[in-house]
Amino acid sequence: DWSSDVCSSDLPDFRGPPEFLARIYLSKNNYPAYLKQLRRLADLSANPADRQLSETAQRGWNSGGGKGMLRAMKALQEAAVADNRSDGYDLAYTDALLGEKQQAVKYLQLAFAAKDFFVMDALNSDWAPQMNGYPPFESFRAQVRRRFEIATI
């Protein structure tokens, strides 16, 4: 795995690298590396929301491992959606990882309506493999493909 060869000290002090690596590690269920990149992101950005996510995820991990981390993040993300601080994309992904398919599609639709470009990630079969074949999710994928005129391969 190429991403495990990347050392944080090798990266410039920009928000992008830890944010990108955190997404990769989360998708690979490498939660310790994910948490490390969240901490780095919070340190670099000095953004209170990044710090809160990092601390919440770490507490969840400490108390309940991967599922505990995801559930703690979900609660934080639900509050962000309710307060209009998030369009729901991150919550959709967290729900997908938790196997909460109906909720994942609901928040993907919300993010799509908000024109969040990241919904395009859901077109990849490895976005959240447990979602593949779920009819409402496949309908959502078809909706995105139609909207952006993307052919099915």
Side-chain angles (χ1 to χ4, degrees):
D1 180 11
W2 68 269
S3 60
S4 63
D5 295 333
V6 177
C7 176
S8 292
S9 62
D10 295 338
L11 300 173
D13 289 340
F14 296 116
R15 172 186 183 93
E19 191 168 29
F20 180 71
L21 288 172
R23 286 184 184 272
I24 291 171
Y25 290 134
L26 182 60
S27 73
K28 303 293 184 193
N29 299 323
N30 186 342
Y31 301 136
Y34 172 70
L35 291 167
K36 181 177 180 182
Q37 293 303 320
L38 281 185
R39 280 190 302 277
R40 181 163 167 72
L41 175 60
D43 291 344
L44 289 173
S45 73
N47 180 323
D50 292 337
R51 174 73 54 207
Q52 186 178 24
L53 177 61
S54 175
E55 291 173 355
T56 298
Q58 185 66 58
R59 277 193 305 275
W61 171 259
N62 292 345
S63 67
K67 289 281 186 193
M69 181 190 77
L70 293 170
R71 291 198 189 292
M73 290 167 47
K74 177 181 169 132
L76 186 66
Q77 292 162 347
E78 286 174 330
V81 170
D83 294 342
N84 293 314
R85 292 178 285 118
S86 170
D87 65 19
Y89 175 80
D90 290 328
L91 179 53
Y93 190 58
T94 300
D95 277 330
L97 294 176
L98 285 167
E100 298 175 10
K101 297 176 181 182
Q102 185 176 5
Q103 289 295 98
V105 172
K106 171 185 169 182
Y107 290 111
L108 278 171
Q109 289 286 1
L110 192 64
F112 184 69
K115 300 182 177 164
D116 187 327
F117 183 76
F118 281 108
V119 299
M120 299 287 284
D121 287 347
L123 298 179
N124 297 320
S125 61
D126 64 349
W127 179 76
Q130 61 274 36
M131 296 290 290
N132 294 335
Y134 178 58
F137 181 64
E138 296 303 335
S139 292
F140 173 77
R141 281 180 164 165
Q143 174 187 6
V144 172
R145 284 188 189 101
R146 281 190 307 275
R147 171 64 180 89
F148 293 104
E149 299 177 1
I150 299 170
T152 304
I153 299 174

